[in-house]
Amino acid sequence: MSNCTVKKQKMEESALEQLKKHTVVVADTGDFNAIEEYKPQDATTNPSLILAAAQMPEYQQLVSDAIQYGKKLGGSEEQQINNIMDKLFVLFGVEILKKIPGRVSTEVDARLSYDKDGMVERARSLIALYKEAGIDKKRILIKLSSTWEGIQAGKVLEEKYGIHCNMTLLFSFAQAVACAEAGVTLISPFVGRILDWHVANSGKKSFEPSEDPGVKSVTQIYNYYKKFGYSTIVMGASFRNTGEIKALTGCDYLTISPKLLGELSKDFCKLSPALSEKAAQASNLEKVHLDEKTFRWEHNEDQMAVEKLSDGIRKFAADAIKLENMLKERLKK
């Protein structure tokens, strides 16, 4: 890295500009004012990002609009809060779509992660709200947890309703294989959280980007999908540093926080693709098939993935509850 500079040289392109030539860059934020600066193709949100954005002064009108919507529909407090939450997620999505040419990802409540029918119903409700706002479902990716139930919900939504899905909280190769076999539109393997687990549970506290366990996981998934002709998009997510991002140059999509997008825009290192279809074809991976029993066993064999999936669901659920409590207080006013 010593030959890299953060000082812009004449006619040189930033790492972000170079990355965009090989990979679709996605902004990982609910703060849509942060999106314009970096001109991503798509954007992703989750309950934690919406919770953070909903507390910012500049987005209070969206919160008020969602609360008015919930009050108008009426029903019990629980029904009103559910309606307000869905409306708030959609209002953020609508505003984000004004700033990007592509798609926005909107997440189904993580508390439904083991309820296939509940996820299908909630996803269809979100798509209906987008339709009311004049947004075609082609511009929406519904985010679902990559549990067995979530993956099967994704399969139903894609096949029966033509609703595109983004399978999130993906940590194991078994999850990736099951998603490919279900024919979902996109997966989000979590690079940084995989690294976090290995730092916390091994004697090694730092990794070179090419040896980063999260980078290696996404590389294996990308190679498997390309070698066996799966159309599901691989979108690396949850990055801890720009080294991880650069080491995945060439991946289909990468979703990146505004902070790391900013660092990449000021970095003038030369980038070249680390992932390619040609390399994938040359890999020695073998095709596997996973029914439910095999999926559950293979996923369970991966201690990191089991712990990070359950932890991720709990954290998204906790932030959804915090957001609900905030909305309940506003509803009483």
Side-chain angles (χ1 to χ4, degrees), residues 29 43 49 60 63 82 91 100 103 126 155 162 167 171 181 188 199 229 238 248 265 281-282 300 331:
T29 181
L49 294 174
Q60 291 315 299
V63 177
N82 277 345
L91 286 173
I100 59 172
R103 298 184 284 204
L126 288 166
K155 182 178 171 70
M167 303 308 302
F171 302 97
E181 293 194 315
S188 295
V199 167
S238 161
L248 288 171
S265 71
Q281 293 300 329
N300 191 66
L331 193 58

Side-chain angles (χ1 to χ4, degrees), residues 144 150-160 165 181-184:
L144 303 165
I151 295 166
Q152 300 315 305
K155 182 178 171 70
V156 170
L157 288 165
E158 297 270 5
E159 290 181 357
K160 189 172 180 181
C165 297
E181 293 194 315
V184 298

Side-chain angles (χ1 to χ4, degrees), residues 75-122:
S76 66
E77 183 185 62
E78 183 182 355
Q79 287 172 321
Q80 286 186 53
I81 291 295
N82 277 345
N83 289 331
I84 292 168
M85 287 275 281
D86 281 356
K87 185 66 172 178
L88 184 61
F89 277 49
V90 168
L91 286 173
F92 270 96
V94 169
E95 291 303 316
I96 288 168
L97 286 170
K98 292 175 183 175
K99 314 225 179 236
I100 59 172
R103 298 184 284 204
V104 69
S105 289
T106 298
E107 191 150 345
V108 164
D109 194 322
R111 289 168 289 182
L112 297 171
S113 293
Y114 299 99
D115 179 353
K116 173 188 159 188
D117 293 339
M119 282 183 272
V120 170
E121 182 183 340
R122 199 67 172 264

Side-chain angles (χ1 to χ4, degrees), residues 4-5 29 78 95 100 105 144 183 218 224 230-231 254 285 305 320 328:
C4 295
T5 177
T29 181
E78 183 182 355
E95 291 303 316
I100 59 172
S105 289
L144 303 165
V218 174
Y224 184 82
Y230 290 110
S231 60
L254 297 175
L285 294 165
K328 282 176 186 174

Side-chain angles (χ1 to χ4, degrees), residues 265-282:
S265 71
K266 297 179 181 71
D267 181 340
F268 291 86
C269 289
K270 184 168 172 53
L271 281 193
S272 55
L275 277 59
S276 70
E277 293 205 25
K278 187 177 179 181
Q281 293 300 329

Side-chain angles (χ1 to χ4, degrees), residues 185-201:
T185 298
L186 182 148
I187 62 165
S188 295
F190 275 36
V191 179
R193 294 197 197 185
I194 293 175
L195 172 66
D196 294 345
W197 189 91
H198 283 274
V199 167
N201 292 278

Side-chain angles (χ1 to χ4, degrees), residues 119-310:
M119 282 183 272
V120 170
E121 182 183 340
R122 199 67 172 264
R124 292 182 67 202
S125 170
L126 288 166
I127 291 296
L129 286 172
Y130 273 114
K131 187 176 181 181
E132 282 178 21
I135 304 294
D136 191 290
K137 67 183 177 183
K138 291 176 185 173
R139 296 199 70 197
I140 311 302
L141 285 166
I142 293 294
K143 286 179 80 174
L144 303 165
S145 299
S146 296
T147 56
W148 178 259
E149 294 80 5
I151 295 166
Q152 300 315 305
K155 182 178 171 70
V156 170
L157 288 165
E158 297 270 5
E159 290 181 357
K160 189 172 180 181
Y161 300 105
I163 294 172
H164 299 300
C165 297
N166 168 356
M167 303 308 302
T168 190
L169 295 175
L170 194 146
F171 302 97
S172 72
F173 187 63
Q175 288 174 297
V177 171
C179 286
E181 293 194 315
V184 298
T185 298
L186 182 148
I187 62 165
S188 295
F190 275 36
V191 179
R193 294 197 197 185
I194 293 175
L195 172 66
D196 294 345
W197 189 91
H198 283 274
V199 167
N201 292 278
S202 74
K204 200 166 181 183
K205 299 305 173 191
S206 64
F207 295 82
E208 285 299 310
S210 62
E211 292 301 312
D212 184 302
V215 170
K216 290 171 81 170
S217 174
V218 174
T219 301
Q220 180 191 23
I221 292 165
Y222 174 91
N223 286 343
Y224 184 82
Y225 278 22
K226 299 310 176 217
K227 181 167 184 174
F228 297 110
Y230 290 110
S231 60
T232 298
I233 294 163
V234 180
M235 180 172 74
S238 161
F239 293 103
R240 295 294 175 260
N241 54 67
T242 58
E244 291 177 323
I245 296 166
K246 293 177 195 176
L248 288 171
T249 301
C251 190
D252 298 328
Y253 286 35
L254 297 175
T255 185
I256 306 167
S257 69
K259 176 181 178 289
L260 293 179
L261 287 171
E263 289 181 24
L264 288 167
S265 71
K266 297 179 181 71
D267 181 340
F268 291 86
C269 289
K270 184 168 172 53
L271 281 193
S272 55
L275 277 59
S276 70
E277 293 205 25
K278 187 177 179 181
Q281 293 300 329
S283 67
N284 60 2
L285 294 165
E286 293 183 6
K287 194 169 187 180
V288 294
H289 164 65
L290 298 180
D291 58 13
E292 182 179 352
K293 297 188 295 290
T294 316
F295 167 84
R296 291 192 186 281
W297 178 258
E298 292 295 335
H299 179 70
N300 191 66
E301 284 289 278
D302 188 334
Q303 182 186 351
M304 174 278 298
V306 170
E307 291 180 11
K308 295 309 289 184
L309 174 60
S310 60

